[in-house]
Amino acid sequence: MTKTILITGSSRGIGAAIARLAAIEGYRVAVNYRNDEASANAVVRGILGAGGAAIAIQADVGLPHDVERLFDAVDRAFGRLDVLVNNAGVLGSCRVEDMDAATLERVFRANVFSMFYCSRMAVRRMSTRHGGAGGAIVNMSSVASRLGGMAGGSHYAATKGAIDSFSLALAKEVGTEGIRVNTVRPGLIETDIHDLHGGTAHVRELAKTAVPMARSGSAEEVAQTVLWLASPQASYVHGAVVDVAGGR
Ligand code: NAP
């Protein structure tokens, strides 16, 4: 039976790398995006061109109705769900004394509420409690959860701390229901998310001193870890937090 994977926020960056690698590993791939339709379609075209199966689905995963529509679309296209990667996330830059409700809500909706909205839809489909066949959920945190993030990143760091806690709690909840839940914490990875803080050049410079391996990581290096956690090779790995951060 060909497995289906849904990766939130997979039009670009780490999510896109997971989508491409998942297709190579034989998954049917649901590529979710919020705004960047052209990039999502490019990921899908690449997978189809290599003989794989993929669709692009627009949905803001911070909005519950969008998430319902997203999972319905996956059901219609592939008829089953085996792996959910809660990857979508946004960064922000704001000092605490300047933080307003709209800024907080934007980051918490995209990074934390999305985990609840997507995971509940996945559990309803995958849990043996609901007649499902089991599966895996991988949540994308960040080393910011234990380092506090970059300057002006208190809200981002706090969302990632919430993700670590959420993952542990969800792992307890569904551990006997065939679903493994794990967390990946990337460090400095070269993607567009850093455009807010000087881009790739800044990330590379920072990594020279901040990372024990003295280099930044690639989206593909994170993707390899995510897909291993989702795979049968990780059958007894549950409630784990795996840092992909070059020792940082
Ligand atoms: P990125 O290059 O900025 O890509 C973000 C992706 O998420 C895009 O596909 C974007 O869609 C999507 N997205 C954002 N908000 C969304 C929403 N509300 N609904 C649906 N899709 C949404 O970021 P990245 O670096 O790959 O980051 C991916 C994840 O890794 C995030 O959770 C991030 O916090 C985490 N992370 C990254 C790093 C790093 O150094 N890069 C380090 C630690 C953790 P559109 O293209 O449509 O906008």
Side-chain angles (χ1 to χ4, degrees):
M1 180 72 76
T2 309
K3 289 188 172 179
T4 299
I5 186 170
L6 165 61
I7 306 132
T8 67
S10 45
S11 51
R12 295 180 287 115
I14 292 170
I18 300 167
R20 292 191 192 98
L21 188 61
I24 290 168
E25 293 191 0
Y27 285 98
R28 297 179 301 186
V29 185
V31 173
N32 159 249
Y33 67 101
R34 183 181 49 178
N35 295 321
D36 192 349
E37 184 178 12
S39 295
N41 285 339
V43 173
V44 168
R45 265 199 314 277
I47 292 172
L48 297 178
I55 53 164
I57 309 162
Q58 191 285 329
D60 181 338
V61 290
L63 300 175
H65 289 108
D66 272 28
V67 170
E68 282 178 24
R69 184 170 50 72
L70 168 64
F71 279 75
D72 287 348
V74 175
D75 290 344
R76 276 198 305 279
F78 298 130
R80 60 179 284 148
L81 181 67
D82 302 279
V83 179
L84 166 67
V85 184
N86 280 314
N87 167 75
V90 293
L91 204 55
S93 184
C94 187
R95 285 180 55 93
V96 170
E97 69 261 37
D98 300 324
M99 196 80 71
D100 59 22
T103 306
L104 271 181
E105 183 161 333
R106 183 182 71 85
V107 176
F108 273 81
R109 267 194 182 284
N111 295 7
V112 181
F113 288 16
S114 61
M115 298 262 161
F116 285 85
Y117 298 147
C118 291
S119 298
R120 76 177 174 189
M121 299 303 280
V123 168
R124 287 176 195 169
R125 284 159 177 77
M126 300 192 305
S127 168
T128 53
R129 185 166 184 253
H130 297 287
I137 296 176
V138 182
N139 295 327
M140 197 61 70
S141 178
S142 163
V143 292
S145 73
R146 56 176 170 75
L147 296 178
M150 301 214 191
S154 62
H155 46 352
Y156 178 79
T159 63
K160 295 302 182 180
I163 290 167
D164 290 0
S165 306
F166 168 71
S167 295
L168 286 174
L170 181 62
K172 283 186 179 171
E173 224 169 85
V174 300
T176 59
E177 299 171 18
I179 304 176
R180 290 184 303 103
V181 182
N182 290 292
T183 307
V184 171
R185 283 200 302 218
L188 288 168
I189 310 299
E190 294 180 16
T191 72
D192 297 348
I193 208 168
H194 298 292
D195 288 354
L196 208 58
H197 293 279
T200 300
H202 175 67
V203 165
R204 286 189 182 161
E205 204 46 45
L206 187 62
K208 284 182 191 165
T209 50
V211 177
M213 286 178 73
R215 70 165 177 87
S216 45
S218 70
E220 288 70 26
E221 289 176 303
V222 182
Q224 292 282 359
T225 306
V226 168
L227 287 167
W228 173 74
L229 284 169
S231 75
Q233 282 70 43
S235 57
Y236 199 53
V237 183
H238 181 57
V241 181
V242 182
D243 286 3
V244 185
R248 185 162 171 243

